[in-house]
């Protein structure tokens, strides 16, 4: 099999409609020998900012000396952009080898009326690649929602919900509260849960995390007045302030709380300060070294 054939097979899976749930990707992972059991995962969900947060989390972990996988979507020009190990995209040969291995199983599933979607298969491909490369940790950007997303086939050692807004209401729910509950159900017992949600969404995600037994850390932006965006200066693991652009592509942010200091980030905009704060709050779950975990 050549790479263009493998890529065409994967893209052809887009004709199958999305069905919420992790059963299908879990079955593929089981077929592959459960590679998810060999990697420590961080899962990042949210309506906005989850891609930037995932990338900054990956950068912090790499700077601390870990080998780190990163799974994001969508890609801009090449499929391999979605799956990176230590900053380098998955090779075309690795993609081809994966498709050659799983294609007969996927064709059989489709013939039986249980096809997997493009996102489910690419998610499994990322997990398999991270295990094959023996990374210390991997950061997964959640695709749709949280509870029903393909990335939730893993048991993460830390999770985050950046924020919540009305989106994909046909799948996730008709209200902010319903969507927040769906996203927050990525929380795992004992795994740190970080969020920058506010108002009713914060109450909901905190309640879900508490029920799951996940310790909650909150991140809040600070306005020029020095007050947190939600008007409450208490109960925050981190407060973050955007200090402005320092180059065409970089900005400075100031953190206070469990971590203090002013730092330069390769992104601009007030919202990126909050994303950086979430990444900083997530990193300690893995920065001391890998902690292997598996389902059950």
């Amino acid at each position: 099999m050549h790479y263009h054939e493998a890529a065409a097979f994967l893209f052809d899976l887009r004709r199958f409609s999305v069905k919420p749930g992790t059963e299908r990707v879990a079955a593929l992972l089981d077929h592959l020998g459960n590679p998810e059991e060999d990697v420590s995962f961080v899962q990042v969900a949210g309506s906005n900012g989850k891609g930037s947060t995932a990338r900054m989390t990956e950068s912090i972990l790499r700077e601390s000396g870990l080998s780190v996988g990163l799974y994001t979507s969508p890609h801009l020009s090449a499929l391999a952009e979605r799956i990176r190990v230590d900053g380098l995209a998955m090779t075309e040969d690795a993609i081809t080898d994966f498709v050659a291995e799983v294609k007969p199983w996927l064709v059989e599933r489709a013939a039986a009326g249980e096809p997997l979607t493009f996102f489910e298969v690419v998610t499994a491909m990322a997990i398999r690649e991270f295990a094959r490369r023996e990374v210390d940790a991997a950061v997964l950007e959640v695709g749709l929602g949280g509870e029903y997303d393909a990335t939730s086939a893993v048991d993460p050692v830390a999770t985050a919900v950046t924020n919540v807004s009305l989106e994909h209401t046909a799948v996730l729910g008709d209200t902010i509260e319903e969507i927040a509950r769906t996203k927050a159900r990525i929380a795992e017992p004992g795994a740190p849960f970080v969020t920058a949600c506010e108002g009713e969404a914060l109450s909901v995600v905190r309640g879900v995390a508490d029920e799951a037994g996940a310790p909650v850390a909150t991140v809040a932006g600070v306005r020029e007045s020095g007050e947190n965006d939600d008007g409450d200066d208490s109960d925050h693991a981190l407060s973050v302030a955007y200090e402005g652009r320092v180059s065409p592509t970089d900005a400075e942010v100031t953190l206070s709380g469990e971590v203090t200091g002013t730092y330069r980030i390769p992104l601009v905009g007030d919202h990126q300060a909050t994303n950086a704060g979430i990444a900083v709050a997530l990193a300690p779950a893995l920065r001391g070294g890998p902690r292997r975990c598996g389902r059950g």
Side-chain angles (χ1 to χ4, degrees):
M1 177 181 289
H2 297 289
Y3 170 72
H4 73 274
E5 295 173 301
F9 176 80
L10 290 174
F11 287 127
D12 190 50
L13 298 175
R14 287 175 164 171
R15 73 182 191 274
F16 298 123
S17 58
V18 175
K19 294 181 180 179
T22 61
E23 298 83 3
R24 291 168 301 281
V25 68
L28 176 52
L29 291 172
D30 186 63
H31 173 71
L32 293 169
N34 298 116
E36 76 281 8
E37 296 179 356
D38 297 325
V39 181
S40 294
F41 291 99
V42 175
Q43 217 179 344
V44 182
S47 296
N48 298 289
K50 58 183 183 286
S52 297
T53 300
R55 288 176 173 86
M56 283 190 277
T57 303
E58 182 261 359
S59 178
I60 293 170
L61 294 173
R62 285 177 58 198
E63 286 295 321
S64 69
L66 299 182
S67 175
V68 187
L70 176 65
Y71 178 53
T72 58
S73 61
H75 61 271
L76 295 178
S77 59
L79 173 63
E81 295 171 13
R82 296 174 178 245
I83 303 166
R84 296 180 179 272
V85 173
D86 297 333
L88 299 178
M90 187 174 180
T91 66
E92 292 185 354
D93 284 347
I95 293 172
T96 302
D97 289 346
F98 175 84
V99 173
E101 179 179 356
V102 301
K103 181 178 178 180
W105 186 89
L106 292 170
V107 170
E108 183 178 334
R109 288 275 301 199
E114 289 292 333
L116 275 71
T117 66
F118 169 81
F119 187 75
E120 287 173 329
V121 175
V122 174
T123 298
M125 181 167 70
I127 293 169
R128 167 66 173 275
E129 180 68 1
F130 299 149
R132 186 182 73 85
R133 300 285 300 277
E134 298 183 339
V135 300
D136 296 315
V139 183
L140 305 179
E141 178 189 355
V142 172
L144 174 62
E147 178 185 13
Y148 304 120
D149 190 74
T151 61
S152 290
V154 309
D155 283 342
V157 299
T159 60
V161 174
T162 57
N163 51 56
V164 174
S165 62
L166 286 174
E167 55 162 336
H168 302 292
T169 54
V171 177
L172 304 181
D174 296 325
T175 67
I176 291 291
E177 292 78 11
E178 288 177 309
I179 295 172
R181 187 168 292 108
T182 298
K183 291 183 182 296
R185 284 180 177 149
I186 62 174
E188 286 288 324
F193 179 95
V194 182
T195 186
C197 287
E198 302 173 356
E200 184 59 28
L202 175 59
S203 297
V204 171
V205 298
R206 183 188 294 279
V208 172
D210 286 345
E211 289 176 8
V216 178
T218 58
V219 174
V222 177
R223 296 191 290 265
E224 291 183 3
S225 64
E227 184 183 55
N228 285 318
D229 285 342
D230 59 8
D232 181 5
D233 289 320
S234 63
D235 195 32
H236 296 300
L238 280 174
S239 294
V240 293
Y242 183 67
E243 305 295 350
R245 187 191 299 262
V246 295
S247 80
T249 58
D250 293 6
E252 281 189 346
V253 299
T254 296
L255 279 61
S256 58
E258 294 183 359
V259 177
T260 61
T262 298
Y263 303 92
R264 184 165 176 158
I265 60 173
L267 298 163
V268 297
D270 288 354
H271 58 292
Q272 299 295 0
T274 302
N275 295 336
I278 297 170
V280 169
L282 275 173
L286 282 159
R287 202 158 41 194
R291 294 189 296 159
R292 302 301 188 193
C293 65
R295 293 183 300 167

